[in-house]
Amino acid sequence: MKAFFVFSGQGAQFAGMGRDLAENSAAAAAVFQQADEALGYKLSEVIFDGPDEKLTQTIYCQPAIYTMSCAALAAFKEKFDVAPIACAGLSLGEYGALAAAGAFDFVSGLRLLAKRAELMDAACNATDGGMASVLNGDVNIIREVCAKNDIDVANYNSPGQIVISGKKDKLAAAVDDLKAAGLRKVIVLNVAGAFHSRLMATAGEALKPVIADTTIALPRVPVYHNCSAAPAKDIDELKANLATQVAGSVRWEECVRAMAALGGDTMIEFGPGNVLTKLCSRTLPEIKTYNINSFESITKFEN
């Protein structure tokens, strides 16, 4: 098995995620405890008990998914000695990937991500943004429509799935233009703001000094960054990528293809849900996939 590890992004969360991991794995329980101590409030209670409305808020959602994902990895490592050939994560999941690859410890990543979530939440509140998913559309048409309407391509997720992002009125105009161009499957998403668009640029800039003050090392294995679809060559580039990522496009399909090109034959997704393994099945159906999102999923894992 030549596995690459990937980490879930925002939207996969649900109240109760990871509870069974904490109940059955000492390593996972320790991660949740570290999170509570580092943040100064009971994040674990929000994760386990919700309510969903609170867990969905960006300031809680991002650290919650990161914590649950890292707990899943910790519980997995108690049972299996599987080393990744590469790591990546979707949006906030990039922090889980960097932690898994040794770029920073769990708590350092959590504190940095919590600040990211706070800044992105403020940017959402200061703007009237939204996002839409475009299915089975021509990428060139999508880019042209985005440029015409002053919005951005947020995610290149897989063949046939692209997400666009921007001010709600401009997004609505773009949706109309896409449908007029024959792209019928355009779904407006229920999100708090225009993530990975120019409306998040203030958050990315404000995050730079926080990143600068965080101790970060070059990862032990390659981490494929959202904004470049490649590993950083040095620490300066790595830190720049984390700031750019906030408002930049997520080049997820390229990340997956690049990790597979290293010889990867298995994707293991850590975190709630199964979004990334589903995207992988659309991108590279020959890749074997696993989701580590519960204690039961660990017991069923085939090493």
PDB file of all heavy atoms in Angstrom, residues 130-147:
ATOM      1  N   GLY A 130     -21.559  34.622  -1.345  1.00  0.00           N
ATOM      2  CA  GLY A 130     -22.132  33.293  -1.463  1.00  0.00           C
ATOM      3  C   GLY A 130     -21.326  32.437  -2.416  1.00  0.00           C
ATOM      4  O   GLY A 130     -20.331  32.895  -2.995  1.00  0.00           O
ATOM      5  N   MET A 131     -21.745  31.198  -2.570  1.00  0.00           N
ATOM      6  CA  MET A 131     -21.036  30.256  -3.428  1.00  0.00           C
ATOM      7  C   MET A 131     -22.059  29.395  -4.183  1.00  0.00           C
ATOM      8  O   MET A 131     -23.200  29.240  -3.744  1.00  0.00           O
ATOM      9  CB  MET A 131     -20.113  29.353  -2.592  1.00  0.00           C
ATOM     10  CG  MET A 131     -19.104  30.103  -1.755  1.00  0.00           C
ATOM     11  SD  MET A 131     -18.100  29.041  -0.673  1.00  0.00           S
ATOM     12  CE  MET A 131     -16.907  28.386  -1.871  1.00  0.00           C
ATOM     13  N   ALA A 132     -21.629  28.845  -5.305  1.00  0.00           N
ATOM     14  CA  ALA A 132     -22.480  27.938  -6.073  1.00  0.00           C
ATOM     15  C   ALA A 132     -21.623  26.840  -6.683  1.00  0.00           C
ATOM     16  O   ALA A 132     -20.469  27.072  -7.062  1.00  0.00           O
ATOM     17  CB  ALA A 132     -23.226  28.692  -7.176  1.00  0.00           C
ATOM     18  N   SER A 133     -22.184  25.651  -6.750  1.00  0.00           N
ATOM     19  CA  SER A 133     -21.504  24.513  -7.352  1.00  0.00           C
ATOM     20  C   SER A 133     -21.985  24.342  -8.786  1.00  0.00           C
ATOM     21  O   SER A 133     -23.199  24.361  -9.050  1.00  0.00           O
ATOM     22  CB  SER A 133     -21.808  23.245  -6.548  1.00  0.00           C
ATOM     23  OG  SER A 133     -21.183  22.120  -7.127  1.00  0.00           O
ATOM     24  N   VAL A 134     -21.038  24.193  -9.694  1.00  0.00           N
ATOM     25  CA  VAL A 134     -21.354  24.012 -11.113  1.00  0.00           C
ATOM     26  C   VAL A 134     -20.954  22.592 -11.506  1.00  0.00           C
ATOM     27  O   VAL A 134     -19.785  22.215 -11.407  1.00  0.00           O
ATOM     28  CB  VAL A 134     -20.607  25.034 -11.993  1.00  0.00           C
ATOM     29  CG1 VAL A 134     -21.084  24.936 -13.438  1.00  0.00           C
ATOM     30  CG2 VAL A 134     -20.794  26.452 -11.465  1.00  0.00           C
ATOM     31  N   LEU A 135     -21.921  21.819 -11.946  1.00  0.00           N
ATOM     32  CA  LEU A 135     -21.677  20.416 -12.277  1.00  0.00           C
ATOM     33  C   LEU A 135     -21.660  20.210 -13.784  1.00  0.00           C
ATOM     34  O   LEU A 135     -22.504  20.741 -14.520  1.00  0.00           O
ATOM     35  CB  LEU A 135     -22.753  19.528 -11.643  1.00  0.00           C
ATOM     36  CG  LEU A 135     -22.932  19.663 -10.126  1.00  0.00           C
ATOM     37  CD1 LEU A 135     -24.062  18.761  -9.639  1.00  0.00           C
ATOM     38  CD2 LEU A 135     -21.636  19.335  -9.404  1.00  0.00           C
ATOM     39  N   ASN A 136     -20.675  19.441 -14.231  1.00  0.00           N
ATOM     40  CA  ASN A 136     -20.570  19.022 -15.634  1.00  0.00           C
ATOM     41  C   ASN A 136     -20.519  20.206 -16.601  1.00  0.00           C
ATOM     42  O   ASN A 136     -21.100  20.160 -17.690  1.00  0.00           O
ATOM     43  CB  ASN A 136     -21.749  18.100 -16.007  1.00  0.00           C
ATOM     44  CG  ASN A 136     -21.838  16.898 -15.090  1.00  0.00           C
ATOM     45  OD1 ASN A 136     -20.830  16.315 -14.708  1.00  0.00           O
ATOM     46  ND2 ASN A 136     -23.053  16.521 -14.722  1.00  0.00           N
ATOM     47  N   GLY A 137     -19.819  21.259 -16.174  1.00  0.00           N
ATOM     48  CA  GLY A 137     -19.708  22.437 -17.029  1.00  0.00           C
ATOM     49  C   GLY A 137     -18.331  22.587 -17.639  1.00  0.00           C
ATOM     50  O   GLY A 137     -17.329  22.113 -17.081  1.00  0.00           O
ATOM     51  N   ASP A 138     -18.262  23.249 -18.768  1.00  0.00           N
ATOM     52  CA  ASP A 138     -16.988  23.534 -19.432  1.00  0.00           C
ATOM     53  C   ASP A 138     -16.214  24.553 -18.597  1.00  0.00           C
ATOM     54  O   ASP A 138     -16.720  25.649 -18.310  1.00  0.00           O
ATOM     55  CB  ASP A 138     -17.255  24.082 -20.836  1.00  0.00           C
ATOM     56  CG  ASP A 138     -15.982  24.316 -21.629  1.00  0.00           C
ATOM     57  OD1 ASP A 138     -15.189  25.198 -21.238  1.00  0.00           O
ATOM     58  OD2 ASP A 138     -15.771  23.615 -22.636  1.00  0.00           O
ATOM     59  N   VAL A 139     -14.994  24.206 -18.210  1.00  0.00           N
ATOM     60  CA  VAL A 139     -14.222  25.072 -17.318  1.00  0.00           C
ATOM     61  C   VAL A 139     -13.949  26.433 -17.944  1.00  0.00           C
ATOM     62  O   VAL A 139     -13.933  27.457 -17.245  1.00  0.00           O
ATOM     63  CB  VAL A 139     -12.907  24.374 -16.895  1.00  0.00           C
ATOM     64  CG1 VAL A 139     -11.988  24.149 -18.086  1.00  0.00           C
ATOM     65  CG2 VAL A 139     -12.195  25.160 -15.807  1.00  0.00           C
ATOM     66  N   ASN A 140     -13.764  26.485 -19.244  1.00  0.00           N
ATOM     67  CA  ASN A 140     -13.490  27.771 -19.897  1.00  0.00           C
ATOM     68  C   ASN A 140     -14.703  28.684 -19.858  1.00  0.00           C
ATOM     69  O   ASN A 140     -14.569  29.902 -19.644  1.00  0.00           O
ATOM     70  CB  ASN A 140     -13.040  27.539 -21.345  1.00  0.00           C
ATOM     71  CG  ASN A 140     -11.677  26.875 -21.418  1.00  0.00           C
ATOM     72  OD1 ASN A 140     -10.766  27.229 -20.679  1.00  0.00           O
ATOM     73  ND2 ASN A 140     -11.531  25.898 -22.295  1.00  0.00           N
ATOM     74  N   ILE A 141     -15.888  28.114 -20.046  1.00  0.00           N
ATOM     75  CA  ILE A 141     -17.114  28.906 -19.960  1.00  0.00           C
ATOM     76  C   ILE A 141     -17.286  29.435 -18.534  1.00  0.00           C
ATOM     77  O   ILE A 141     -17.630  30.601 -18.325  1.00  0.00           O
ATOM     78  CB  ILE A 141     -18.337  28.066 -20.378  1.00  0.00           C
ATOM     79  CG1 ILE A 141     -18.270  27.725 -21.869  1.00  0.00           C
ATOM     80  CG2 ILE A 141     -19.637  28.807 -20.044  1.00  0.00           C
ATOM     81  CD1 ILE A 141     -19.376  26.798 -22.330  1.00  0.00           C
ATOM     82  N   ILE A 142     -17.027  28.578 -17.555  1.00  0.00           N
ATOM     83  CA  ILE A 142     -17.169  28.980 -16.157  1.00  0.00           C
ATOM     84  C   ILE A 142     -16.216  30.127 -15.830  1.00  0.00           C
ATOM     85  O   ILE A 142     -16.605  31.119 -15.203  1.00  0.00           O
ATOM     86  CB  ILE A 142     -16.916  27.782 -15.224  1.00  0.00           C
ATOM     87  CG1 ILE A 142     -18.000  26.722 -15.439  1.00  0.00           C
ATOM     88  CG2 ILE A 142     -16.892  28.224 -13.763  1.00  0.00           C
ATOM     89  CD1 ILE A 142     -17.706  25.392 -14.772  1.00  0.00           C
ATOM     90  N   ARG A 143     -14.973  30.024 -16.280  1.00  0.00           N
ATOM     91  CA  ARG A 143     -14.004  31.094 -16.024  1.00  0.00           C
ATOM     92  C   ARG A 143     -14.425  32.403 -16.701  1.00  0.00           C
ATOM     93  O   ARG A 143     -14.294  33.481 -16.120  1.00  0.00           O
ATOM     94  CB  ARG A 143     -12.626  30.667 -16.522  1.00  0.00           C
ATOM     95  CG  ARG A 143     -11.932  29.626 -15.640  1.00  0.00           C
ATOM     96  CD  ARG A 143     -10.685  29.117 -16.320  1.00  0.00           C
ATOM     97  NE  ARG A 143      -9.953  28.178 -15.492  1.00  0.00           N
ATOM     98  CZ  ARG A 143      -9.069  27.295 -15.967  1.00  0.00           C
ATOM     99  NH1 ARG A 143      -8.824  27.237 -17.280  1.00  0.00           N
ATOM    100  NH2 ARG A 143      -8.445  26.472 -15.149  1.00  0.00           N
ATOM    101  N   GLU A 144     -14.911  32.307 -17.926  1.00  0.00           N
ATOM    102  CA  GLU A 144     -15.345  33.508 -18.655  1.00  0.00           C
ATOM    103  C   GLU A 144     -16.506  34.195 -17.944  1.00  0.00           C
ATOM    104  O   GLU A 144     -16.534  35.423 -17.806  1.00  0.00           O
ATOM    105  CB  GLU A 144     -15.753  33.126 -20.088  1.00  0.00           C
ATOM    106  CG  GLU A 144     -14.583  32.760 -20.983  1.00  0.00           C
ATOM    107  CD  GLU A 144     -15.043  32.182 -22.316  1.00  0.00           C
ATOM    108  OE1 GLU A 144     -16.267  32.179 -22.568  1.00  0.00           O
ATOM    109  OE2 GLU A 144     -14.185  31.725 -23.094  1.00  0.00           O
ATOM    110  N   VAL A 145     -17.457  33.405 -17.484  1.00  0.00           N
ATOM    111  CA  VAL A 145     -18.621  33.964 -16.791  1.00  0.00           C
ATOM    112  C   VAL A 145     -18.194  34.599 -15.463  1.00  0.00           C
ATOM    113  O   VAL A 145     -18.676  35.670 -15.091  1.00  0.00           O
ATOM    114  CB  VAL A 145     -19.698  32.878 -16.573  1.00  0.00           C
ATOM    115  CG1 VAL A 145     -20.773  33.358 -15.601  1.00  0.00           C
ATOM    116  CG2 VAL A 145     -20.318  32.488 -17.902  1.00  0.00           C
ATOM    117  N   CYS A 146     -17.276  33.950 -14.757  1.00  0.00           N
ATOM    118  CA  CYS A 146     -16.776  34.522 -13.504  1.00  0.00           C
ATOM    119  C   CYS A 146     -16.078  35.854 -13.747  1.00  0.00           C
ATOM    120  O   CYS A 146     -16.304  36.831 -13.011  1.00  0.00           O
ATOM    121  CB  CYS A 146     -15.816  33.541 -12.816  1.00  0.00           C
ATOM    122  SG  CYS A 146     -16.632  32.143 -12.010  1.00  0.00           S
ATOM    123  N   ALA A 147     -15.244  35.906 -14.769  1.00  0.00           N
ATOM    124  CA  ALA A 147     -14.532  37.147 -15.083  1.00  0.00           C
ATOM    125  C   ALA A 147     -15.507  38.260 -15.460  1.00  0.00           C
ATOM    126  O   ALA A 147     -15.355  39.413 -15.021  1.00  0.00           O
ATOM    127  CB  ALA A 147     -13.544  36.899 -16.215  1.00  0.00           C
TER     128      ALA A 147
END
